[in-house]
Amino acid sequence: MSNVRLAIPSVRPGGLSAECSGHFGRCDCFTIVEINDGKRVKDTVIDNPPHYEGGCLRPVNLLSEHQVNALVVQGIGAWPLSGFRQAGIEVYQANEPTVQKVVDAFCAGKISPIDDRQVCQHH
């Protein structure tokens, strides 16, 4: 992808120096990083609405509305993964501690798309 709008589940207040959140559906916010030709252009933060029953698909709609086309998570269940795929959002997996480290690894091509065998079993 040459033009990417990358979302990373983040701990408040979000941004490049924020810690990554381990649970995308219950994260405080998403840091969205625009990357053009492998270079960060801009970053913004959007709040994640409260999680509720069936709420695993709520972030799918939120990120789709913000024209996100890639998401990096530490873990994800099969149901939301399917939702992101249907929305055209590629899901990657990484265990970096901060948003900046995720962005650096993503731009360096060190993060791969998540495999179906890597989904959380409790979802």
Side-chain angles (χ1 to χ4, degrees):
M1 285 185 222
S2 59
N3 295 319
V4 178
R5 285 185 55 87
L6 179 68
I8 301 143
S10 310
V11 174
R12 199 171 313 283
L16 294 174
S17 61
E19 290 179 41
C20 294
S21 176
H23 192 297
F24 85 92
R26 296 177 192 253
C27 67
D28 295 332
C29 54
F30 290 95
T31 301
I32 299 175
V33 181
E34 293 182 37
I35 300 169
N36 292 332
D37 297 321
K39 298 189 188 316
R40 182 184 61 81
V41 176
K42 177 182 172 186
D43 57 271
T44 56
V45 177
I46 57 171
D47 286 331
N48 186 25
H51 199 75
Y52 63 92
E53 186 64 36
C56 287
L57 292 181
R58 196 169 192 184
V60 173
N61 296 328
L62 175 70
L63 297 179
S64 185
E65 289 169 6
H66 283 87
Q67 293 82 45
V68 165
N69 58 2
L71 169 69
V72 177
V73 297
Q74 291 181 5
I76 192 168
W79 189 35
L81 177 59
S82 175
F84 281 116
R85 287 177 174 163
Q86 288 177 7
I89 299 172
E90 184 78 40
V91 181
Y92 297 82
Q93 184 178 35
N95 289 308
E96 300 292 344
T98 66
V99 171
Q100 182 67 61
K101 289 194 179 283
V102 169
V103 172
D104 292 345
F106 185 86
C107 290
K110 295 180 178 177
I111 299 177
S112 300
I114 196 165
D115 185 280
D116 289 340
R117 296 170 294 183
Q118 295 170 303
V119 297
C120 299
Q121 298 303 313
H122 64 277
H123 285 90

